[in-house]
Amino acid sequence: MSRASVIQQKTGMPVRFEITEQTREAVQQWVSGAGLIGDTWLFPSRCLHGAHITTRQYARILKAWVGMIGLNPSVYGTHSLRRTKASLIYKRTKNLRAVQLLLGHTKIESTVRYLGVEVDDALEMAERIEI
């Protein structure tokens, strides 16, 4: 497993994430098969030369994938993908600071709201975590 980072559009801050070996291999196959080179977008637009797919196009693709594996597309979306891993990490570790860092939140309160953590629970944990 290796780590990478991207700049979060909303905050302009870097957000780190992990890439599994399986994911790395899949991306390498995609890049090779699609003939992507240099600073080409990983998912280029079919309509606009030099542009990337839009958020809306990504959402449509995701809905199709969800439907193809037999799940209800109205229940899953782009945001649920982002939230799932963070929610699982919090549920297993109760480590708000780790989740905060992974999500790129600047305030622990934002992470608390994002996860739907109970206030008393969150305050107790926040007191134990030095920032």
Side-chain angles (χ1 to χ4, degrees):
M1 199 165 316
S2 61
R3 294 187 176 107
S5 66
V6 295
I7 302 299
Q8 188 176 49
Q9 187 175 1
K10 189 174 176 181
T11 65
M13 300 294 292
V15 177
R16 293 187 181 143
F17 60 94
E18 65 185 32
I19 300 176
T20 64
E21 192 56 38
Q22 183 179 7
T23 301
R24 179 177 298 288
E25 289 170 9
V27 170
Q28 286 173 339
Q29 288 176 6
W30 168 254
V31 168
S32 177
L36 303 177
I37 56 170
D39 61 356
T40 306
W41 292 102
L42 187 57
F43 301 105
S45 171
R46 292 183 309 190
C47 303
L48 297 171
H49 180 70
H52 58 79
I53 64 171
T54 65
T55 304
R56 185 69 199 124
Q57 288 168 314
Y58 167 55
R60 280 191 214 113
I61 291 167
L62 179 66
K63 293 271 183 206
W65 288 344
V66 167
M68 286 191 298
I69 62 170
L71 298 173
N72 181 349
S74 66
V75 177
Y76 300 93
T78 57
H79 187 74
S80 62
L81 288 180
R82 172 176 158 78
R83 187 171 179 185
T84 299
K85 183 122 187 192
S87 296
L88 289 172
I89 290 169
Y90 174 72
K91 186 182 264 186
R92 292 179 186 160
T93 67
K94 300 292 188 207
N95 187 335
L96 277 173
R97 177 67 177 141
V99 176
Q100 177 191 10
L101 291 170
L102 290 169
L103 292 173
H105 291 167
T106 54
K107 297 179 182 174
I108 199 82
E109 294 83 7
S110 300
T111 308
V112 168
R113 278 192 309 276
Y114 188 83
L115 294 173
V117 177
E118 294 298 322
V119 174
D120 292 339
D121 200 23
L123 290 173
E124 180 185 326
M125 283 182 266
E127 287 172 0
R128 291 184 290 182
I129 299 171
E130 299 263 339
I131 299 178

